[in-house]
Amino acid sequence: LRARYLGLKTLSGTFTENICNEQAGTCMPFEGRFSISVPARYRLEVTDPQKQLIVSDSTNLWVYLPDQKLAQKQPAGGFAPVLAFLGPVLDSTATGEVSKDSSGTYVVKVLMNDEKSAMNDLVLELNDTATRITGFSFVDGWGNKVHFGLYDQQWNPKLSPALFKFTPPKGVTVEE
């Protein structure tokens, strides 16, 4: 698995994301398209339940909420949930416990050494040959259980650098 991902330069496809808060008894589902350029450029186009665009060029992170005519800009870096599965796979010191869940899916419970990590309990879900990550889940720093499903994966497609740039449309409020 690690050897396969070491050759990964770009990845695109569709995703689902569920963010659940057990204490509040709530789950928020999202879905859309993603594009990743390793190591730190990404684009998430959330299409449901409401449109959002999250773009990082590895210097700046933009969150654009078109329905609110709002764009938020902040320095890139720090924790990027959509990239959470890549860190331990590309880190040669990371370890994990491989098993099959009740549905027969290979799962890897990643053993994290950093107690101050932005995520805990990272679990990778693999395809039936254990050569591709099809989903992952973790508990974030606020106690939310986050699950991503990765579908229609295209490995190393040619991605335009423009995908990882964002210019706020006219009339949009920009918060920095």
Side-chain angles (χ1 to χ4, degrees), residues 20-35:
C20 298
N21 184 298
E22 200 172 281
Q23 286 183 312
T26 60
C27 278
M28 295 178 45
F30 300 92
E31 61 183 60
R33 292 180 297 281
F34 72 91
S35 299

Side-chain angles (χ1 to χ4, degrees), residues 9-55:
K9 303 293 180 218
T10 60
L11 182 67
S12 65
T14 60
F15 74 92
T16 59
E17 178 185 18
N18 285 298
I19 303 172
C20 298
N21 184 298
E22 200 172 281
Q23 286 183 312
T26 60
C27 278
M28 295 178 45
F30 300 92
E31 61 183 60
R33 292 180 297 281
F34 72 91
S35 299
I36 297 170
S37 179
V38 176
R41 295 186 308 159
Y42 58 92
R43 177 185 187 95
L44 283 179
E45 297 175 50
V46 178
T47 57
D48 191 52
Q50 69 182 48
K51 292 183 187 230
Q52 299 177 41
L53 179 62
I54 302 165
V55 178

